[in-house]
């Protein structure tokens, strides 16, 4: 269990003993929301580090997520429409059935040949539960 998840569990247990179950659920949910926001912010910063990248969201698609051990994974495919090799940096957002952000990861797909496609696997940072879908948040070709 990661530090954030462990801290959330301890906080939730302590609150359950002192203020009741509803408050504990709210606190745990708040801790998870804060952790998710921090991960999304880190993913955005990683995307911002890409030099000379152009928007390529239309070149990239995410497949159906599936469980892989204690994580959720989705195959991401980049199709290079240009006439030279290209590298792709892709931010994949995992969302629940209501569209709420659960996790964000950044994936690199390197050396995609002209007119060809290449795939990589986006792997969640933590265990996700329930219905999950993968969306391309941002994609840069460089």
């Amino acid at each position: 269990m990661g530090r954030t998840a462990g801290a959330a569990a301890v906080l939730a247990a302590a609150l359950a003993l002192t203020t009741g179950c509803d408050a504990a659920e709210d606190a745990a949910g708040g801790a998870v929301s804060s952790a998710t926001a921090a991960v999304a912010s880190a993913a955005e910063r990683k995307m911002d580090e890409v030099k000379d990248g152009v928007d390529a969201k239309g070149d990239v698609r995410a497949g159906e997520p599936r469980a892989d051990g204690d994580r959720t994974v989705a195959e991401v495919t980049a199709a290079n429409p240009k006439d030279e090799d290209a590298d792709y940096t892709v931010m994949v957002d995992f969302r629940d059935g209501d569209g709420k952000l659960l996790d964000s990861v950044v994936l690199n797909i390197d050396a995609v040949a002209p007119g060809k496609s290449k795939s990589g696997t986006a792997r969640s940072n933590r265990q996700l539960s329930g219905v999950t879908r993968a969306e391309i948040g941002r994609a840069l070709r460089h």
Side-chain angles (χ1 to χ4, degrees):
M1 183 181 302
R3 282 190 200 180
T4 303
V10 169
L11 178 61
L15 284 172
L17 292 173
T18 59
T19 61
C21 291
D22 289 341
E25 288 176 13
D26 290 345
V32 170
S33 293
S34 294
T36 301
V39 167
S41 180
E44 284 287 348
R45 283 192 304 276
K46 190 165 184 110
M47 294 296 295
D48 290 342
E49 291 174 3
V50 175
K51 302 295 181 216
D52 300 322
V54 296
D55 181 18
K57 194 170 177 179
D59 297 353
V60 182
R61 63 176 163 57
E64 286 296 316
R66 62 179 171 78
D68 182 26
D70 65 344
R71 305 302 166 120
T72 299
V73 297
E75 184 172 311
V76 177
T77 303
N80 182 2
K82 299 299 180 181
D83 56 2
E84 60 184 33
D85 281 5
D87 297 329
Y88 288 82
T89 301
V90 183
M91 186 170 84
V92 180
D93 295 331
F94 290 99
R95 297 187 179 274
D96 68 11
D98 294 326
K100 180 181 171 191
L101 182 65
L102 301 173
D103 200 0
S104 290
V105 298
V106 175
L107 167 72
N108 290 308
I109 303 174
D110 296 326
V112 183
K116 301 289 184 184
S117 296
K118 191 172 181 182
S119 297
T121 302
R123 183 174 177 81
S124 67
N125 294 299
R126 61 183 180 83
Q127 187 172 16
L128 306 177
S129 61
V131 175
T132 306
R133 65 177 197 253
E135 296 179 350
I136 304 303
R138 288 176 64 191
L140 298 173
R141 183 179 53 246
H142 48 98

